[in-house]
Amino acid sequence: MESSQGLGALAARKQRAVIALYIYLAATAVFCLGEILELAGVIDMNALQLSTLTTIFAFLYVAQLPVVIGCIVIVAMWIHRAHASLLEAGHSDLEFTPGWAVGWYFIPIANLFKPFQAMKELWNTSFGLTNDFGGEAPFDLKVWWGCWIVGNIANWQSA
Amino acid sequence: MSLDSDLGAYQISLILGAIGSVLSIFGAYYLIGIIREITAAQEQGLGLEEVFA
């Protein structure tokens, strides 16, 4: 794919990723509201006889799964395209290939730090910065990754 | 005693779930910004490089 075509595809995938993430934000906010209502005793997921409100939240919880899976696929497609665009623009000295920039998310243990390194490389190369090992990462990336790791651990512990 | 500890564990799991959800919301919000900024940087930087090459 030519560089201009790649950038066009990247813009289209950005649009889809942003929409998917906003849907994910809404679904997660509903999930959070459900947990707060459950803590307050307004709804009870363990009751034998579910109330109308509890049934609505039960359906919303189930509906969150395809939203999460869809969001992962769409954001992964953007990450792959963004890395591929760098290669097409002549950046041949990259540590991460487009495939592995996505693939590392699915490798246990390595997924705690490798995806962050890949995103840092993507950010630094896109902005024309040096991507030295151990170099300072942008603030946005650190906040995103910190929230991602701690949030996932909290969600995993609560399951 | 056992029922009390079960209820306590259940509440802790709900609290952890709520904390995880809030962090996921923040993470997704920042990821939206990252995606927008990287795409814009590539469109400007890589696109112009190609035009001026």
Side-chain angles (χ1 to χ4, degrees):
Chain A
M1 191 183 282
E2 282 181 28
S3 186
S4 57
Q5 284 179 315
L7 287 175
L10 182 68
R13 288 186 188 186
K14 179 205 81 174
Q15 282 296 103
R16 284 185 220 126
V18 168
I19 291 168
L21 281 166
Y22 274 124
I23 294 170
Y24 171 78
L25 274 177
T28 309
V30 168
F31 188 81
C32 187
L33 178 67
E35 305 241 63
I36 291 166
L37 289 176
E38 212 171 337
L39 262 175
V42 178
I43 60 173
D44 183 5
M45 289 292 170
N46 296 319
L48 292 174
Q49 207 65 5
L50 296 182
S51 68
T52 310
L53 189 62
T54 307
T55 309
I56 291 169
F57 271 96
F59 274 113
L60 289 172
Y61 283 0
V62 174
Q64 200 196 21
L65 185 64
V67 169
V68 171
I69 293 170
C71 198
I72 289 169
V73 171
I74 291 168
V75 171
M77 286 171 71
W78 176 84
I79 292 171
H80 188 277
R81 185 63 253 161
H83 271 272
S85 292
L86 294 181
L87 285 178
E88 286 159 9
H91 293 280
S92 54
D93 55 340
L94 299 175
E95 184 187 343
F96 296 93
T97 62
W100 276 109
V102 173
W104 281 119
Y105 282 88
F106 303 97
I107 310 292
I109 310 296
N111 61 7
L112 293 172
F113 56 94
K114 281 287 185 184
F116 175 75
Q117 291 173 348
M119 192 63 96
K120 188 178 149 205
E121 180 181 72
L122 179 58
W123 177 287
N124 285 338
T125 312
S126 299
F127 281 93
L129 306 169
T130 54
N131 189 47
D132 298 333
F133 179 77
E136 186 77 0
F139 177 77
D140 284 13
L141 285 190
K142 287 193 276 193
V143 174
W144 159 65
W145 195 245
C147 288
W148 171 259
I149 293 292
V150 180
N152 273 342
I153 290 170
N155 282 328
W156 175 59
Q157 286 294 319
S158 76
Chain B
M1 177 70 182
S2 173
L3 187 63
D4 282 351
S5 60
D6 280 356
L7 275 174
Y10 184 60
Q11 284 186 331
I12 288 169
S13 108
L14 287 175
I15 292 166
L16 280 172
I19 291 169
S21 299
V22 170
L23 287 170
S24 296
I25 289 169
F26 272 110
Y29 176 76
Y30 271 88
L31 184 56
I32 289 170
I34 290 164
I35 287 172
R36 281 184 168 150
E37 289 198 43
I38 288 176
T39 306
Q42 288 202 5
E43 281 172 343
Q44 289 171 8
L46 302 181
L48 287 177
E49 264 177 26
E50 190 189 41
V51 169
F52 292 117

